[in-house]
Each structure stands twice: as C-alpha cells, then as structure tokens.
Amino acid sequence: MTPNPKPPICDSFPKDAERATGLESLVMQAFAPGSGLSQTIAQFKPRSGQTEMAVAIARTIDQGGALVVEAGTGVGKTYAYLVPALLSGTRILLSTATKALQDQLFGRDLPQLVRALGLPLRCAVLKGRASYLCMHRLEMARHDGAQQASGEAQALARVEQWAHATRSGDLAELDGIEDRSALMTQITSTRENCLGAQCPKLSGCHVNQARREAMDADVLVINHHLFFADLGLRETATGQLLPKVQTLVFDEAHQLNDTGVQFLGRQLTTAQLIDFANDLLATGLQKARGLVDWHGLATGIERAARDLRMVVGQAAVATRLRWHDEAPERVGAQEWRAALEDLDHACVQAQEQTSRVAEVDPDLERMRERAGALCSLTESFLKPCPAGVVRWLDVNTQLRLVESPLDIAQALRDAMGSASADTGYQRAWVFTSATLGDEPLLRWFTEPCGLSDATTLRVESPFNYQRQAALYLPAGFADPADAAHSAQVAALVAQAASRLGGRTLVLTTTLRALNSISDALALEFSGSERIHVLTQGQGSKRVLMERFRSAGAVDGPGYILVASATFWQGIDIPGDALQLVVIDKLPFPPPNDPLAEARANRLKAAGRSAFKDYFLPEAAVALRQGAGRLIRRESDRGALVLCDGRVSTRGYGRRLLAALPAMRVVADAGEWDALIDDLTRASTKGSPPS
Ligand code: SF4
C-alpha cells in the first residue's frame, strides 16, 4: 500500500470565503450563523466541525476524487454531506448501511433540507427486491393450499388488505410481520424467481416502479447491499440497478467492507436448497402436474442437502470451520466429496427435468435457471479454492458454504475506474462514518477499501468528554479466558446498575460470556420491579432498543441490556436511559476465524505484522465503536468500564486507550463509588446513595 500522498484536507482548509470555490462559498453561507438553515430548521445550530467537513466535501465534488471523513459523534455529518451534495447541482447517490437508516434519511433529513434550501429536486429511495411486495408471488401464495392451511393465513389476509392500499409496496409500511418470517419469502421475489418481462403483474410491479423512480431521481437513497448488488450485475454484464451519478456519498462507511465481501463472494446454504426444493414442488404441481416426477426431484434435493449436513455431524452449532483442502476441517474428505457430488447430481437432475418443460410457463423457466445456478455453485465447491479468496463452512442447524474475497479493494478500485471511463468525467466519492480507524490516515478503512490514495479528514466530536464521561479500569479481575471473569463482570454490573436503576449496556465479545453474564444478572434481579434484564436474542434488535429507550421515562423499570456483535455499533440511546457501558473484554477478532486468519496470513506474506496491522486496529476500532454508545448528546453523562486487565498490563494497551475519546480516568474503587453516586443523583431512577 502506498502512503497517503496528500496532506489532510484540514491543513489547507480555506480561512475565508474569498479563497473558496463557488460551491465551497455557497456551503459556507449555508452553514453561517443566521443563515436560512438556522432560520428554517429549529434544531439546526452552526458547528465549526460540521462546516469544515461540508467544505471539504464541496471541494471534492468540484474537483472529483475520493474523500474519507471520520466525523465524531455530534458533528452533524448528515447535514455536512447533504448540504454540499444538494447545492452542487450534480446527480447524487446516497448509500447507508441499513433499511432503517435509509428510511430516516429519505423520510426525515432529506426532505427537511430540500425544503429549507428551496431546491426543486426529485428524491427517491431504492431498496433490495426483498423489501417490496411481489404481486405475482402474492397471487401464488393465495392459491397455495399449504399456505392457506398454515397458521400464516391470517397474516396473509393482512398483507392482501394492505396490498390494495399501498403505493410503494415497501414492506416496511407493514407492521407486525417479522422480516425473516416464512411468509416474507412467499410474498417477495428473488432475482431467480422474478418473471421479469413475462410477468402477468408487470404493470403493477412495485420493484419495477421503485427502480423506474430511482432512474429518474436527482437524489437517490440506497443501501450498501444494493450498491454491491449493482456492482455484481455490472461485472457480469447482466444489467444495472442504479443510475449513473456524479456524486456518491457512503454514510456508515465502516460497514462497507463487511457488506462488500459478503456480496462479492459465493454462498450456498442448505436452507437455500430446501427452499428451492419446496418452490420446485409447488411450481411444478401448479404449472406442469404429471409432466415430471416433481416429488422425486424435490425429495432428491432435500435428501442430498440433509445428507450433506449429516456428514458434518455434531460439530457444535455456530461453528465456523476452516476449509483449506478438499473438505472442511474435522470433516471426512471422502464422505464430504461423496455427499457434495450427490447434491450436484440432484441439482443437475432438476436442471435437466425443468429444461424439458421450461417453455410451458415462465415460472418453470425460472426454476430451470435456479437449478442451473445451484449446479454452478455445487460444481465450484467441488473444485479447489481459487487463489486470493478464502473458503469456509458455517455450521448451524443448516450449513453455509462460503467463498469470500479478503476485502473489497480491487472491486471498489475497478468500480471507481470504470465509472470515470463510463461517464467521461471524474466523479466525487465521499465515505464517512463516526469511526474509520484509530490513526490520522484512517488506514483501517482505506486499505481494505482500496482507498489508500484518498484524501482523509478527521473531524473531532464537539462533546466535552472530560466533563461528560469517565473511564474505569477495575483492578484485580481474572484473566478474560477464566470462567470466573464473567461472574466478576456480572457482580460489578449488578452493584452499579442497582444504584443507577438499570441504565446499563453490557457489551460482550463471545456468546459464552453473553450467556453467563446475562444468566447471573437475571438471577440477581429476578422478581425486581425496578430493574429488568434484557438479553440479545430475546426479541428483534428494534424491539429491545425500544424497551431500553423507554427507561428515560420516570415511571416504569430501568434496564440492563446484555448484548454482543451488532450492538457494539449503530445504536443510539441518548439521554438518561443509558449511563453506563461495560465492556467485558478487548474485542480482538478471533484468531481462528477463517477470514481473520486469511487476512493475517496475507499481511505476514507481505512482511508485515498481523498483530500490529490487523488485530490491533480491529480491536481499537471496535472499542471506539462500543465506547461511542455512551455519549450521544451534549447533555449526556456516563461511565465506561473496561473489565480487561490487559489494557493496563500489555504494551499495546496504550494504543487501545488512545483510540477512546479523551475521558476522565477513574483512579480507584473509591472514586468509582463516588462517580456512581454522582450519576445516581443526576438520574431520575437511581436509588439514594448509601
Ligand atoms: S415482475 Fe417480478 S417482482 Fe414484479 S410482480 Fe412480477 S415476479 Fe414479482
């Protein structure tokens, strides 16, 4: 990787409007005190970091190229990228991490600013096809006897009722049906089963309507999944989902690499095979009963998928097995190959038989294509793993066979290169998030994204962390690998949370720690009216967060939430509901994870240190993200506890601590006690200090 050749943009930040370009000058005016924005938007308050970021983005839009901006919590990064993008007069693509964030951007921030700036812009939102009702599949579900007999008939009736009223067909409008319910698969389309131009419901198709609106929009809001889905289509020259634009902004860009590697790799799951077998049977019986032995075909695929699962045996659920040779580790090579060949044979049979009747109906043609796609997947997993990618097996009740690139660097470089060739002009690419690294050049983000030549900018959070937050590193805890460690974490949490009235988020790094800490706390507070313990997995993330936030109200219980993985980032609990974040252990990536191992090996092969250049930055960034849950507003107060002694005893601890916001450090248990007293006094739920 070459070092960043350009100085940080903040070094050359213009000191006055005369030195700025036209767009920079417009942006400065928009953010100036007394501007139209502060007069029209009640909560808008000029902030120097926000203006700095907005001007840097304006310059990138003017000059083209890539800008990476880390904007600390409270900078106001959404307005900082929206204002220059909207004022630029260019066509804009805004990508964020989740559908919920898309809805927030499209439903709240974007219309508010477009109105305030008085710009006649057409805005649209586009999600993946699984987010829209498919009218054709709804019709099929209506006629599917098995569906009617199931307990989901009532939910289907609700969908039918809503289908008459909805304009967008966006399933987010429909409350009370879980994203992952079986009904969702029945009423949404996939690329494989969509009938396209041959669909009898084409004129009322919500997916097509959303895509048409996207193609006509001046400002389009998408998510990272869709961006990579579009890249995949362009690579295979099978079409495109997104319009050509001049300005691209990726918010929550820290998730780009993880999302991209999932999309750019290959996956085959036993659940996907069983879904296919079910669809094959239902479609075959509906469209060509008697012409093919549909039962035999479907049973063959289902049996082969189950046999493959059996070969893996009783390997613990939620295990990830390395797969360097012919078979995944701990799985007999001969048995694995035989089962995979059987599966391949069953898929070939399905492809041959559906080819015989594909002309009868477009649904059968789609089944032929799906069988073909499954054949190429089984065949590729029978061959040795190609160079430059990593292969592994996820073991759960189902299996997931995965082949993944190590990062998105090449794909993104190609996309940026071909975009300029496509359009004939240099486009502006802006990547932003609250956490993109733990050093000024943001290499944690830029290297895997192929952006080592991009200009980087870090804008500090305007919060006063010294005053608002404190860091406690309790002494005398067992080694995190020791079983006693989780009990000690639970005891510390129980003591502090009972005084605070809940208001505590416990972030763990392993499922084992999650369960033991949560069990101990549940026992401690069983029967308590005042404090309830919530554990990740007890409900959807949205439901858990709604309950936790409700603790801001004076009446009702306070909460302790014990969670791992996705709760380390992207959750926003401002105000009184959260005052204490406890991290059980330093969040290093598991060294035996196949993807982490492959990334580490690649660095070693290049003569670099895997620990210094991969494991340590990963832990530092995760730690920053976890700590970032604590202070979300200027008025928030709280404490962060890190229960891993290595941060004080190991040399690398200094780098990890430096990655955290500059909080006041609590010296000892006495000071910790006093701090909890202070927080208790400030909270509406705390018990009086003893
Ligand atoms: S075109 Fe595809 S997505 Fe649209 S209604 Fe038909 S099958 Fe469904």
Side-chain angles (χ1 to χ4, degrees):
M1 298 283 172
T2 51
N4 187 336
K6 300 176 190 170
I9 207 157
C10 46
D11 289 348
S12 52
F13 184 69
K15 295 291 181 283
D16 54 55
E18 280 115 332
R19 283 169 55 199
T21 64
L23 181 57
E24 285 176 47
S25 166
L26 275 179
V27 166
M28 280 179 169
Q29 284 165 26
F31 283 108
S35 71
L37 284 188
S38 37
Q39 284 164 20
T40 358
I41 300 177
Q43 67 277 28
F44 179 80
K45 201 166 81 177
R47 279 169 274 191
S48 61
Q50 187 178 49
T51 312
E52 181 187 5
M53 175 173 171
V55 170
I57 292 174
R59 188 177 311 156
T60 307
I61 295 173
D62 263 348
Q63 298 171 358
L67 172 69
V68 177
V69 190
E70 183 185 76
T73 315
V75 164
K77 68 176 161 47
T78 309
Y79 276 22
Y81 64 72
L82 281 180
V83 170
L86 296 177
L87 288 175
S88 69
T90 61
R91 206 166 186 207
I92 305 155
L93 190 74
L94 303 171
S95 182
T96 187
T98 62
K99 291 187 274 185
L101 288 169
Q102 271 186 283
D103 288 337
Q104 189 176 309
L105 200 54
F106 181 71
R108 193 188 68 188
D109 304 317
L110 192 54
Q112 205 169 37
L113 264 184
V114 166
R115 259 195 316 274
L117 296 169
L119 297 167
L121 295 172
R122 285 166 303 178
C123 302
V125 63
L126 182 64
K127 301 176 183 175
R129 61 164 66 244
S131 298
Y132 299 96
L133 175 69
C134 167
M135 300 302 283
H136 172 65
R137 294 199 34 99
L138 177 64
E139 173 102 14
M140 287 190 49
R142 197 180 290 141
H143 293 119
D144 183 349
Q147 177 66 51
Q148 294 297 339
S150 80
E152 288 185 336
Q154 224 180 343
L156 185 62
R158 280 190 50 219
V159 175
E160 297 256 23
Q161 202 178 18
W162 167 77
H164 292 297
T166 180
R167 194 198 81 82
S168 70
D170 184 341
L171 290 156
E173 292 173 6
L174 198 59
D175 267 347
I177 300 185
E178 280 295 321
D179 266 10
R180 292 173 191 206
S181 74
L183 180 64
M184 281 297 190
T185 330
Q186 297 276 324
I187 59 168
T188 55
S189 64
T190 60
R191 205 177 138 208
E192 292 80 27
N193 64 26
C194 170
L195 302 186
Q198 290 159 311
C199 177
K201 301 282 181 187
L202 189 63
S203 61
C205 171
H206 294 300
V207 177
N208 277 358
Q209 178 191 316
R211 289 185 179 174
R212 270 197 309 275
E213 288 173 7
M215 285 294 173
D216 290 341
D218 303 304
V219 185
L220 176 61
V221 181
I222 61 160
N223 56 56
H224 302 339
H225 293 84
L226 207 57
F227 173 76
F228 286 105
D230 180 63
L231 272 195
L233 285 181
R234 283 170 199 251
E235 254 174 33
T236 52
T238 47
Q240 66 179 74
L241 291 170
L242 306 175
K244 287 177 183 166
V245 298
Q246 291 106 314
T247 301
L248 297 95
V249 180
F250 295 85
D251 196 354
E252 301 296 309
H254 62 280
Q255 294 196 31
L256 212 53
N257 189 38
D258 282 350
T259 308
V261 291
Q262 281 172 34
F263 259 85
L264 300 172
R266 291 167 192 269
Q267 292 192 16
L268 175 66
T269 68
T270 47
Q272 174 189 356
L273 288 156
I274 290 165
D275 275 354
F276 171 70
N278 291 339
D279 284 355
L280 184 67
L281 182 61
T283 312
L285 292 179
Q286 243 185 56
K287 309 284 181 178
R289 188 186 283 266
L291 297 183
V292 168
D293 175 11
W294 299 111
H295 279 286
L297 275 187
T299 314
I301 292 170
E302 230 182 286
R303 184 194 44 73
R306 293 194 200 288
D307 285 352
L308 191 71
R309 175 65 189 86
M310 299 270 284
V311 166
V312 178
Q314 298 311 312
V317 165
T319 309
R320 187 168 273 198
L321 300 179
R322 297 183 189 96
W323 184 355
H324 296 311
D325 303 317
E326 240 190 290
E329 60 181 344
R330 291 190 257 156
V331 178
Q334 273 181 358
E335 294 87 334
W336 175 259
R337 183 158 190 95
L340 204 50
E341 277 172 353
D342 276 356
L343 181 60
D344 181 52
H345 180 68
C347 293
V348 170
Q349 290 271 303
Q351 191 188 21
E352 282 171 7
Q353 294 301 313
T354 45
S355 299
R356 284 180 44 216
V357 292
E359 282 182 3
V360 173
D361 188 278
D363 277 324
L364 292 169
E365 167 59 18
R366 289 293 166 271
M367 296 316 295
R368 185 191 66 78
E369 287 170 10
R370 280 174 74 180
L374 289 173
C375 288
S376 13
L377 279 170
T378 48
E379 274 154 28
S380 75
F381 281 109
L382 276 165
K383 291 183 189 146
C385 182
V389 297
V390 54
R391 194 180 266 187
W392 73 83
L393 180 72
D394 278 336
V395 184
N396 235 304
T397 44
Q398 301 287 347
L399 295 182
R400 193 165 71 105
L401 292 70
V402 186
E403 202 171 272
S404 161
L406 271 55
D407 59 38
I408 60 169
Q410 193 54 48
L412 208 53
R413 272 197 294 262
D414 290 349
M416 292 169 86
S418 69
S420 309
D422 254 16
T423 51
Y425 45 69
Q426 170 83 310
R427 299 205 288 190
W429 297 72
V430 176
F431 303 86
T432 186
S433 169
T435 312
L436 290 174
D438 72 325
E439 44 75 46
L441 293 180
L442 305 174
R443 278 181 284 231
W444 173 84
F445 174 74
T446 57
E447 283 193 8
C449 292
L451 292 166
S452 295
D453 290 341
T455 303
T456 54
L457 169 64
R458 288 184 108 184
V459 184
E460 293 297 326
S461 164
F463 298 154
N464 184 341
Y465 282 98
Q466 276 288 325
R467 194 172 52 81
Q468 293 179 251
L471 169 67
Y472 180 40
L473 308 172
F477 267 54
D479 186 277
D482 194 315
H485 183 261
S486 290
Q488 289 174 316
V489 175
L492 179 142
V493 171
Q495 211 189 37
S498 62
R499 287 160 71 190
L500 289 169
R503 302 168 187 277
T504 301
L505 173 65
V506 185
L507 294 173
T508 70
T509 49
T510 62
L511 212 54
R512 196 162 57 101
L514 175 102
N515 290 333
S516 33
I517 295 172
S518 151
D519 288 350
L521 290 170
L523 193 64
E524 175 76 27
F525 293 104
S526 66
S528 167
E529 304 253 306
R530 204 171 138 260
I531 296 174
H532 289 184
V533 178
L534 304 172
T535 307
Q536 180 179 344
Q538 275 176 345
S540 68
K541 188 174 178 182
R542 183 178 55 81
V543 169
L544 286 176
M545 293 323 299
E546 273 167 17
R547 285 186 71 188
F548 196 93
R549 282 194 198 100
S550 71
V554 178
D555 299 328
Y559 293 100
I560 302 172
L561 171 60
V562 189
S564 71
T566 55
F567 286 76
W568 281 73
Q569 49 175 289
I571 60 169
D572 188 26
I573 311 163
D576 249 9
L578 176 64
Q579 291 188 313
L580 177 61
V581 173
V582 179
I583 290 177
D584 78 323
K585 155 174 182 279
L586 293 173
F588 286 111
N592 54 359
D593 176 87
L595 192 53
E597 188 185 62
R599 287 170 173 166
N601 287 342
R602 183 173 60 174
L603 284 168
K604 281 188 225 157
R608 294 172 62 182
S609 157
F611 184 71
K612 205 159 81 36
D613 293 341
Y614 177 65
F615 288 103
L616 205 47
E618 286 288 324
V621 166
L623 207 53
R624 265 165 81 81
Q625 285 167 333
R629 301 312 103 215
L630 185 63
I631 303 296
R632 308 298 298 173
R633 300 285 184 276
E634 269 161 15
S635 52
D636 286 358
R637 297 278 182 284
L640 172 72
V641 184
L642 189 46
C643 304
D644 190 331
R646 291 177 296 175
V647 80
S648 313
T649 56
R650 302 290 174 90
Y652 58 74
R654 271 197 306 281
R655 177 165 171 188
L656 294 176
L657 289 177
L660 295 172
M663 293 176 261
R664 179 163 65 86
V665 178
V666 173
D668 52 31
E671 217 177 277
W672 167 245
D673 209 43
L675 172 71
I676 294 295
D677 276 354
D678 279 354
L679 291 172
T680 305
R681 268 190 287 272
S683 110
T684 49
K685 279 193 188 324
S687 61
S690 51

